[in-house]
Amino acid sequence: MRRRHYGLAASFVLMVIAPLVVTMWYLYTVSLDQYASRIGFSVQKEEVGSAVEILGGITELSGSSSSDTDILYEFIQSQQMVREVNDRLDLAAIYQQEGDPVFALASGKPSIEALVAYWHRMVHVSYDSSSKLIEVVVRAFSAEEAHAISQAIYDASSEMINELSAIAREDTTAYAREELDGAIAQLKEARRAMTDFRSRTQIVDPQADVQGRMGLVNTLQGQLAEALIDLDLLRQGATAEDDPRVVQARKRVEVIRDRIADERARFGEGGGGSSELEDYSRLVAQFEDLAVDVKFAEESYVSARGAYDAAVAEAQRKSRYLASYVAPTMPETPEYPQRGVISLLVGVGLFLFWSVATMIFYALRDRK
């Protein structure tokens, strides 16, 4: 062996063997055991067909909603998730451990950004885009803490999906609800106007009142015909005009005619037509306008109510929920840190770095 061989061996020891020995010493003597809790779930969007669709043979099976699953995948890795879990469990107290400065969270009061960065180290989220399944592996320094974090992730994810479902239902029924509120207000206003009209005029139904008065006119006309016949019979019997019976018959005819004239005057059929007929006709016209408004408002309300009920039924038929195919597990054996894998990777990395450095050194030396 020449001098350069001893230098090469020394560099190998300093650059590969010594760091690898220090790494393995730290991994096997200093680093703390880590437990891993696993949880798997997906977002299901269930659409149950209505009775009409079932009878018609059109049904929809439940399936996963890709957009909701993508949202949940990003949510688990977001700052909001870290903040919610931290509010429930105090992540700093869980991950700050003495004696392991490499794998534990730095001491002190960490910022939310530091917690998010450390969260990405300890919480691994895998997502299968084809099956829309999410699997989460949560690491902690005790089995109970790992299980507690997994459960907190599941609870926060379920709350987020329920909130999305509630927002979707609200969006589905919001427009129909606005239409229904407008129809209700319109119907109340129309009925209030009708009530004010009846209170002011003391007339419940002008149409019925008109029919009653027309019936009275018809009755008076019948009585007038009978009175005229009686008067003609008296005159044909050669009764004198000053006979009390003739006088009484003429007065009866005049009274009936006056009464008929008065009743007709109330409906514009009398002479002049200026008594209370115009006011009464105006009241009838107002009542008819109000009746049309009430009928239109009632039909609008029925239509809006049907549309709202249909929207509510449609929203209830579509629901999102978080379906877990792996419940948060309670680990029994520490799986991390993977000391053998880390040692192998460090050794390979150090050897490659030493090899490249050696080749660069000899290349530079040979150029001189």
Side-chain angles (χ1 to χ4, degrees), residues 182-200:
I184 292 175
Q186 184 180 9
L187 180 59
K188 288 182 178 179
E189 182 64 25
R191 289 182 173 177
R192 186 181 301 111
M194 178 65 77
T195 302
D196 294 341
F197 171 82
R198 288 170 175 169
S199 300
R200 186 180 70 255

Side-chain angles (χ1 to χ4, degrees), residues 8 60 92 100 108 133 145 170 184 196 205 227 248 265 316:
L8 187 63
E60 296 183 3
D100 190 357
L133 299 179
E145 291 173 345
E170 181 63 25
I184 292 175
D196 294 341
D205 187 355
Q248 184 66 28
Q316 291 177 348

Side-chain angles (χ1 to χ4, degrees), residues 6-46:
Y6 290 105
L8 187 63
S11 66
F12 180 80
V13 171
L14 292 177
M15 297 178 64
V16 179
I17 301 299
L20 181 60
V21 170
V22 173
T23 300
M24 295 181 65
W25 170 80
Y26 185 90
L27 289 173
Y28 286 95
T29 61
V30 178
S31 65
L32 301 176
D33 292 335
Q34 299 176 17
Y35 295 82
S37 176
R38 290 174 171 78
I39 180 176
F41 47 76
S42 66
V43 180
Q44 297 295 320
K45 183 177 179 181
E46 186 172 358

Side-chain angles (χ1 to χ4, degrees), residues 166-287:
I167 293 174
R169 287 195 299 268
E170 181 63 25
D171 292 341
T172 303
T173 60
Y175 179 75
R177 183 64 196 179
E178 291 178 0
E179 292 292 325
L180 179 59
D181 292 341
I184 292 175
Q186 184 180 9
L187 180 59
K188 288 182 178 179
E189 182 64 25
R191 289 182 173 177
R192 186 181 301 111
M194 178 65 77
T195 302
D196 294 341
F197 171 82
R198 288 170 175 169
S199 300
R200 186 180 70 255
T201 61
Q202 300 297 316
I203 299 175
V204 177
D205 187 355
Q207 297 292 341
D209 190 60
V210 168
Q211 292 177 0
R213 293 180 181 274
M214 292 298 295
L216 177 59
V217 171
N218 293 332
T219 302
L220 290 174
Q221 286 179 344
Q223 294 178 359
L224 177 60
E226 293 179 358
L228 289 173
I229 292 173
D230 293 339
L231 180 59
D232 291 340
L233 290 175
L234 290 175
R235 286 174 176 174
Q236 290 177 3
T239 305
E241 288 295 327
D242 57 353
D243 187 277
R245 290 178 298 173
V246 176
V247 174
Q248 184 66 28
R250 283 201 307 268
K251 289 183 178 180
R252 186 169 183 270
V253 170
E254 292 175 0
V255 170
I256 294 176
R257 283 176 176 173
D258 293 340
R259 177 52 55 193
I260 291 175
D262 292 340
E263 292 297 330
R264 285 179 175 176
R266 299 174 66 90
F267 299 99
E269 300 176 4
S274 60
S275 57
E276 56 184 282
L277 168 65
E278 295 179 358
D279 294 337
Y280 196 84
S281 300
R282 192 179 303 110
L283 292 178
V284 173
Q286 292 177 4
F287 177 83

Side-chain angles (χ1 to χ4, degrees), residues 5 25 41 97 149 172 224 259 309 323 332 368:
H5 295 156
W25 170 80
F41 47 76
Q97 301 290 328
I149 295 175
T172 303
L224 177 60
R259 177 52 55 193
D309 292 340
E332 297 181 357
K368 294 181 181 179

